[in-house]
Amino acid sequence: MYHYLRIGRIFPFPFPFLKIFPPTKHRNSPFATFTIQTPYDNPNLEAVPSSFPSHSPRRPHLVPTNNLTSKHPAAPSLDNSPAFHQNNLNDIISSNKIITSYIRSGDLNSALRVFTNMTVKTTITWNAILAGYSRKPGKITQAQKLFDQIPEKDTVSYNIMLACYVQNSEMETAWSFFNSMPVKDTASWNTMISGFAQNGAMGKARELFLAMPMKNSVTWSAMVSGFVECGALELAEEFFEFAAEKSVVTWTAMISGYMKFRKIEKAERLFREMPVKNLVTWNAMIAGYVENCRAEDALKLFRIMLRNGIRPNHSSLSSVLLGCSELSALQLGKQIHQLVCKSSLRDDTTASTSLISMYSKCGVLDDAWKLFLETNRKDVVSWNAMVSGYAQHGAGERALHLFEQMRSEGIRPDWITFVAVLSACNHAGMVDIGIQYFDSMVKDYGVEPRPDHYSCMVDLLGRAGKLVEAVDLIKKMPFKPHSAIFGTLLGACRIHKNLEIAEFAAQNLLNLDPKSAAGYVQLANVYAATNKWDRVARVRRSMKDNKVIKTPGYSWIEIKSTVHEFRSGDRVHPELESIHEKLNELEKKMKLAGYVPDLEFALHDVGEEQKEQLLLRHSEKLAIAFGLIKIPHGTPIRVFKNLRVCGDCHRAIKYISATERREIIVRDTVRFHHFKDGCCSCGDYW
């Protein structure tokens, strides 16, 4: 196990090869091409814009607008009618291009104004407007009305209308319409198969697939993606292997499936083998690494992507910034920020939101707030990121004030908003206010509570010592509690030393997840806190018998773009001797200032002197001592830990911040702690 990681190995130089990027044309999701579009039968056009018509090779049908009847009139002849000379045809083509441009940019109203003013329309004109309606959810009635008015419908017209039904999840209507179509081409079949796949009806999709006369890469991609999404990885593999045509979308769908099911080596193999990669493929790999807790690999691959000349989009940067957050690689995150500022993404809301989240998670809340204010078009995700940032840092009142401001500006909160709001109440100890917000979710906002909301409420009640109320809430949940809820309850029992409820929580946790190291460790900690060492030994024996491996606690700190990692009692770091000297110096200063080690947090049945030494060598203390040696005065020391900071370390860091006159920021699994002048931002409530 490496005890310090060099970010310099990932990015050894500050992006000298990065230039100002023009707007990217790539999609931002591995499955974006399956947002039910009009998948034309040319395999090379697999990623065409949603429901957008292709230009027919036939001569256009020209239809005067005053000649619309229930019967389809014959198209006027271009050769015989003097009204239709070359200038008129050029005007029609020009208007069609303008309509097309408006539809592509999502401006249906402007497209309709051009459409209405045209005296003569071609079938291409009608199809373009129909495509505009099909791209807008909820416009199915208008689309049907327009479709009925088209004088000369072609196959594209029928395919766009079919796609409109599918996009609005009107699958029964779509199926009936499909069966009534006078001509079905490959695109028609692909649209229905994709629709069934996206709605989870893989049985129907498979039946249609088997009945389809001619399949192309779009067909195979739809099936592979559908099986991945519904969790049938083996069937996805089977279809992928037998696919007669594999497009980049098919390969990418399979890679995403492997990443989703943690088959990382298989995803890597496919990535190496695939003949052509696009931005979506690279994004799928980078996001997959981050989601599988391999942020370092994600950042390495991002560097390779850039060196190959692939221009990132906001999806790429979102994943990379999340990786920076996971590694707490602030300097690298700042470099990505510079990249965004120099690219076409500088005004992109998604990119700005990712940066806000990165700065918050790296402990720089002021920069996150500055970015939030500079974001011109804030969506609900932007507000959620900032409210969540304040919640993580224990600024409960500011989080709730921002939530109220969000409401006043007409932004409707979603379920994630309420996770952030309840977390803010939890970290600030605002129990009654938290209960009020929980009750108002359904009543005032129509947001049904999810397991995450119940976890927040159990934590809120548990931290406040209301353990019986927390158990009652769990019993009243409308769905089966998941393991995290019992883990949260068990953590609260550790704080309040409640053996009875701790055993109840541990039993339920281990029933749900027998291999949960957290269940054993937390229960052992409760026993240790009450000096029941025989029970501690019994729990540890049980862990060994069941081959449960405890996640080791470690802390890390970034010094000049290098991340240094420490374990408790670390014996590997190359500068360990100077770190121990610094710790011994700190111990003397702290004790003179009144610090007394809290031996309750030395979870071993050994003598007091040995317990003190064990506490002094906790990973967060080692990281802070190293930071004091390396980081100049005036710069905050930022330390990150993969577990909850222990009570003795929390007390010791308060003394260190006072005796050394340094600001120390510690992020653990629960929240951020800002230590300054002997106080912590949490007010000793965490």
Side-chain angles (χ1 to χ4, degrees), residues 247-473:
S247 70
V248 65
V249 178
T250 318
W251 285 85
T252 302
M254 198 65 245
I255 286 171
S256 296
Y258 282 137
M259 283 297 191
K260 180 179 178 180
F261 291 92
R262 301 185 181 279
K263 308 285 186 182
I264 299 172
E265 290 183 1
K266 288 188 174 183
E268 290 172 332
R269 177 178 56 80
L270 279 192
F271 185 75
R272 288 191 301 268
E273 292 176 356
M274 65 186 298
V276 178
K277 303 175 181 70
N278 63 11
L279 177 61
V280 182
T281 314
W282 290 89
N283 286 350
M285 283 297 296
I286 292 168
Y289 277 135
V290 173
E291 288 163 6
N292 284 284
C293 302
R294 288 177 54 173
E296 188 179 0
D297 290 324
L299 300 184
K300 286 179 180 177
L301 190 63
F302 179 68
R303 175 188 171 230
I304 295 170
M305 183 184 94
L306 294 176
R307 295 187 70 176
N308 278 314
I310 308 295
R311 298 162 180 159
N313 63 3
H314 59 73
S315 180
S316 323
L317 296 177
S318 294
S319 295
V320 172
L321 288 169
L322 184 56
C324 291
S325 301
E326 294 295 324
L327 291 174
S328 305
L330 179 60
Q331 296 307 312
L332 180 55
K334 287 181 176 179
Q335 290 181 4
I336 302 291
H337 188 179
Q338 291 173 359
L339 185 157
V340 172
C341 291
K342 294 177 182 178
S343 76
S344 60
L345 297 171
R346 60 186 175 275
D347 296 321
D348 184 85
T349 301
T350 303
S352 296
T353 301
S354 298
L355 285 165
I356 290 167
S357 182
M358 184 275 295
Y359 279 118
S360 294
K361 291 178 179 177
C362 286
V364 194
L365 199 56
D366 289 343
D367 286 356
W369 175 243
K370 182 181 177 183
L371 259 174
F372 179 77
L373 293 176
E374 292 173 353
T375 303
N376 294 322
R377 295 183 299 275
K378 301 179 184 71
D379 57 15
V380 66
V381 183
S382 309
W383 287 89
N384 287 349
M386 200 63 241
V387 173
S388 180
Y390 278 131
Q392 284 180 320
H393 286 262
E397 291 184 4
R398 295 184 72 178
L400 297 185
H401 174 75
L402 194 63
F403 171 71
E404 295 301 330
Q405 184 181 339
M406 171 184 174
R407 290 178 54 209
S408 67
E409 295 194 17
I411 305 296
R412 187 167 183 81
D414 59 13
W415 72 272
I416 297 174
T417 315
F418 281 101
V419 172
V421 167
L422 295 176
S423 296
C425 295
N426 180 15
H427 294 318
M430 297 184 286
V431 179
D432 293 337
I433 295 174
I435 292 172
Q436 289 173 18
Y437 277 118
F438 182 75
D439 291 339
S440 73
M441 282 172 50
V442 176
K443 183 174 62 177
D444 298 335
Y445 303 97
V447 176
E448 291 291 336
R450 301 190 182 197
D452 287 352
H453 301 114
Y454 278 98
S455 291
C456 287
M457 288 303 296
V458 169
D459 203 13
L460 177 73
L461 295 169
R463 286 181 196 281
K466 298 178 179 292
L467 294 169
V468 174
E469 290 89 335
V471 172
D472 288 341
L473 181 65

Side-chain angles (χ1 to χ4, degrees), residues 212-225:
M212 186 174 178
M214 293 289 292
K215 303 169 183 66
N216 62 14
S217 62
V218 179
T219 323
W220 290 99
S221 297
M223 293 301 293
V224 172
S225 298

Side-chain angles (χ1 to χ4, degrees), residues 1 10 33 68 79 112 157 189 208 380-381 417 424 428 434 451 454 491 510 533 562 568-569 572 642 665:
M1 179 64 65
I10 305 171
T33 47
L68 298 180
D79 300 321
L112 284 169
S157 311
W189 289 84
L208 204 59
V380 66
V381 183
T417 315
Y454 278 98
L510 295 175
W533 298 107
T562 301
S568 293
V572 178
N642 71 324
I665 301 169

